[in-house]
Amino acid sequence: MGVSKTVLKHGNGFDKPKKGDDVTIEYTGWLYDPNAYEFKGKTFDTSVNRGDFVTKIGEGKVIRGWDEGVIEMTLGEKATLTISSDYAYGDRYENGLFSRVPPTFGTGFPGHIPPGSALVFDVELKAINNKPAEN
């Protein structure tokens, strides 16, 4: 499956992040649950009330679903990204360890995301290379 995007709020329509750009994101992540409203099962992580997440995009610093999904967003956009397991944390743990850069064979996210889990994220692209979205 990879990643699918549903726009919740349109961005400015022209500023899109490119590979290697620093992006500032607010997000909430849920385990995919086919029986839950909007497929949003148990919440496993959120930046809301904790502070925005800043990372380079398109360089494997985050899960592949984010690398591919966020690059398709425009500044100020809020979207739901539905991400298959192979574009998320994968199918198995490796030595019980987790890295922010998931290895290509997959690890899950011990204690939070079981191996083989599809994920759902609400993601808001708040800035690209420190250029903020207009409210």
Side-chain angles (χ1 to χ4, degrees):
M1 178 182 126
V3 59
S4 66
K5 181 181 84 160
T6 302
V7 175
L8 303 174
K9 179 184 90 172
H10 290 280
N12 68 11
F14 51 90
D15 289 313
K16 291 177 88 170
K18 298 178 298 303
K19 183 177 179 179
D21 282 348
D22 288 315
V23 294
T24 303
I25 294 171
E26 181 176 272
Y27 70 91
T28 300
W30 296 268
L31 298 177
Y32 178 89
D33 181 344
N35 299 313
Y37 177 71
E38 296 182 337
F39 308 113
K40 295 174 180 175
K42 180 181 175 188
T43 303
F44 62 84
D45 192 16
T46 185
S47 68
V48 176
N49 298 321
R50 185 178 67 211
D52 295 334
F53 179 68
V54 180
T55 189
K56 288 202 179 296
I57 203 69
E59 294 188 342
K61 305 283 185 195
V62 293
I63 60 174
R64 184 175 176 188
W66 273 32
D67 271 345
E68 294 191 12
V70 172
I71 279 182
E72 296 302 317
M73 297 174 71
T74 63
L75 188 59
E77 183 176 320
K78 184 172 183 177
T80 298
L81 302 178
T82 304
I83 302 171
S84 60
S85 172
D86 57 322
Y87 276 54
Y89 293 99
D91 294 326
R92 66 177 192 259
Y93 299 130
E94 183 69 18
N95 300 323
L97 299 176
F98 168 71
S99 168
R100 290 238 14 119
V101 183
T104 56
F105 56 76
T107 61
F109 186 156
H112 300 281
I113 301 171
S117 295
L119 306 175
V120 179
F121 287 92
D122 281 351
V123 177
E124 183 174 3
L125 182 56
K126 298 177 85 174
I128 303 170
N129 295 326
N130 295 316
K131 177 182 180 180
E134 296 180 13
N135 291 331

